[in-house]
Amino acid sequence: IYGNDFLVAKEAKEIANTYGAHDVLEGNKTVFDSSNFDMSQFQQVSQALPFMDSVRLLVLEDVIKNNTSIGTSIIQHLPHLPESTLLIIKEHSDKINSSMSKASAKELTVKNLVGPKSNRELHQWIKEQTLNKNLPISPSGITALAHNVGVNLWSIDNELEKLSLYTQGRQITDVEVKELVHASEEINLFGTIDAIIEKKRGTAFHNISALLTEGHDTNSILR
């Protein structure tokens, strides 16, 4: 699984839950990252049977990246994994290593988890999150949250939890958002770009002015 950090972390958790690996014993869970990955150790751990659990969870975080040789070696080892080993490969990148495409679909399921790429998509994502959480929110609440927080999905999720506790089942509106959610230092860039394209000068100048007030220099804003 690769792409947006928040979506990758969420998907990894859901996969572990699906295969009954969310609460395995500490000895049945091994996490490798680029700083501690060793191919021989990976092979040894992946082939070991779980102790007092039905599943052994093995997670690789940003191990492969652009190292094709590591990716190829892992793919070649996949057929040797016992059915009790659940391997989750997490790549926090928008592009996957080319070696991953060589794996059979029977051996490896590949998912690209893309976050919102426009203001409209960000609003839709917030709406879907609130539906999943059974959290009533008005269109004005969605707009205010997107404007204040921007595209940081971790922050949006945290703010929704905070708003949920505060409203206690009441509908979230822009009033509650303005009371509880402090504007991100990264003013919703998507909204700013949309405002410029749609020639909404007031919104565009407001956002750019806020960025300048917070200490961003002109060149960084232009970039």
Side-chain angles (χ1 to χ4, degrees):
I1 50 179
Y2 67 104
N4 181 275
D5 285 8
F6 176 85
L7 299 180
V8 166
K10 183 179 178 183
E11 181 70 11
K13 186 176 180 179
E14 291 177 356
I15 292 172
N17 288 339
T18 299
Y19 287 90
H22 60 287
D23 59 352
V24 294
L25 296 173
E26 191 66 28
N28 291 327
K29 178 180 179 180
T30 305
V31 179
F32 288 103
D33 59 28
S34 56
S35 67
N36 69 348
F37 180 77
D38 177 79
M39 182 58 68
S40 60
Q41 186 180 5
F42 162 74
Q43 293 174 342
Q44 181 181 2
V45 171
S46 65
Q47 290 179 311
L49 297 177
F51 175 71
M52 296 181 67
D53 276 315
S54 59
V55 180
R56 173 177 291 278
L57 178 60
L58 184 57
V59 181
L60 305 184
E61 294 193 22
D62 295 322
V63 166
I64 301 173
K65 292 186 177 179
N66 294 319
N67 194 318
T68 304
S69 61
I70 290 180
T72 301
S73 298
I74 290 173
I75 290 171
Q76 292 174 345
H77 185 66
L78 292 179
H80 304 293
L81 297 183
E83 292 186 5
S84 56
T85 295
L86 173 60
L87 172 63
I88 300 178
I89 302 173
K90 300 163 62 178
E91 295 283 311
H92 297 94
S93 170
D94 292 331
K95 294 182 179 180
I96 195 172
N97 187 286
S98 59
S99 59
M100 291 292 97
S101 61
K102 300 176 183 178
S104 166
K106 294 181 180 180
E107 299 169 344
L108 189 67
T109 300
V110 178
K111 289 187 177 183
N112 180 16
L113 305 173
V114 181
K117 295 295 184 183
S118 68
N119 207 40
R120 181 184 61 80
E121 290 181 4
L122 180 60
H123 283 219
Q124 182 60 34
W125 188 86
I126 293 173
K127 182 178 180 179
E128 291 173 357
Q129 287 298 103
T130 55
L131 287 173
N132 292 336
K133 296 174 181 290
N134 196 26
L135 188 60
I137 187 170
S138 68
S140 65
I142 292 176
T143 300
L145 187 59
H147 177 78
N148 277 22
V149 181
V151 75
N152 188 323
L153 303 189
W154 289 104
S155 294
I156 291 176
D157 190 64
N158 289 334
E159 296 296 348
L160 286 176
E161 291 296 326
K162 184 167 65 177
L163 288 164
S164 175
L165 293 171
Y166 180 74
T167 55
Q168 294 291 304
R170 292 182 290 106
Q171 186 183 55
I172 298 169
T173 68
D174 58 322
V175 175
E176 287 78 22
V177 173
K178 289 173 183 176
E179 285 180 0
L180 294 182
V181 180
H182 297 291
S184 167
E185 73 167 22
E186 213 177 295
I187 287 289
N188 186 355
L189 189 57
F190 293 151
T192 305
I193 293 171
D194 286 348
I196 293 171
I197 293 173
E198 296 168 10
K199 299 183 179 180
K200 295 180 179 178
R201 295 187 178 186
T203 301
F205 276 111
H206 169 78
N207 288 2
I208 293 172
S209 177
L211 289 170
L212 290 170
T213 301
E214 288 163 2
H216 294 268
D217 64 87
T218 308
N219 287 333
S220 68
I221 296 174
L222 289 173
R223 282 199 301 273

